[in-house]
Amino acid sequence: MIIMSVDYGDVRTGIAVCDKMQMLASPVCVITERNRDRLLEKIADLASEKRIERFCVGLPKNMDGTYGFRCDACREFGELLEQNTGIPVFFQDERLTTVSAHNILNSADVRGKKRKAVVDAVSAVLILEDYLKTL
């Protein structure tokens, strides 16, 4: 099953997909879009192109495991994504994925504008990798 992970953000949203065997998660892109409807449309187009069978949306829980306002926004976005595409959406705890993504990019010596352009896609990969471990 091909799964697409979404690291939803107000400005930049990271996208990653796994292969059909669910062994390898790869970054796809970062979508820079502030308008939620246009973002949903762009993700739906990518999902169709990649033949996605399931979405995994990152859920930014607080460090103590509680839900905050950002979790509500991500859940609402996931529900809209499922309504617009007809593809089931699952949620994955994404605590510390951005920190881990920055550490990965540090070790690869990716800095400045290059980092900003890819950090959300790397976060999406980490979210997807964590989700695949639960299957």
Side-chain angles (χ1 to χ4, degrees):
M1 172 183 317
I2 301 173
I3 303 168
M4 175 181 284
S5 70
V6 179
D7 182 20
Y8 175 60
D10 291 331
V11 178
R12 287 179 302 281
T13 298
I15 305 292
V17 297
C18 71
D19 63 317
K20 201 163 196 61
M21 299 297 293
Q22 301 170 4
M23 297 187 70
L24 182 64
S26 303
V28 173
C29 65
V30 174
I31 301 171
T32 303
E33 181 61 69
R34 291 178 188 270
N35 181 288
R36 186 173 65 182
D37 292 335
R38 285 194 297 258
L39 176 61
L40 286 164
E41 187 178 312
K42 289 177 181 183
I43 293 173
D45 289 345
L46 270 175
S48 176
E49 175 187 321
K50 303 280 186 192
R51 296 192 167 108
I52 300 305
E53 299 167 74
R54 179 181 290 182
F55 286 105
C56 171
V57 174
L59 204 57
K61 294 181 182 179
N62 296 323
M63 289 308 291
D64 64 1
T66 60
Y67 287 42
F69 75 94
R70 197 66 206 150
C71 276
D72 294 338
C74 289
R75 281 198 172 279
E76 181 182 334
F77 183 80
E79 290 168 8
L80 289 170
L81 188 58
E82 188 168 335
Q83 288 171 11
N84 288 351
T85 63
I87 299 170
V89 172
F90 295 81
F91 296 92
Q92 178 63 38
D93 184 357
E94 68 164 71
R95 282 179 282 184
L96 298 177
T97 55
T98 302
V99 172
S100 297
H102 279 289
N103 289 337
I104 290 167
L105 294 172
N106 279 342
S107 66
D109 201 31
V110 177
R111 308 238 183 260
K113 288 183 181 180
K114 286 183 184 179
R115 175 186 294 246
K116 195 173 188 179
V118 299
V119 70
D120 296 303
V122 174
S123 293
V125 168
L126 296 173
I127 292 165
L128 185 51
E129 286 176 345
D130 286 345
Y131 179 72
L132 292 173
K133 290 175 191 173
T134 68
L135 298 179

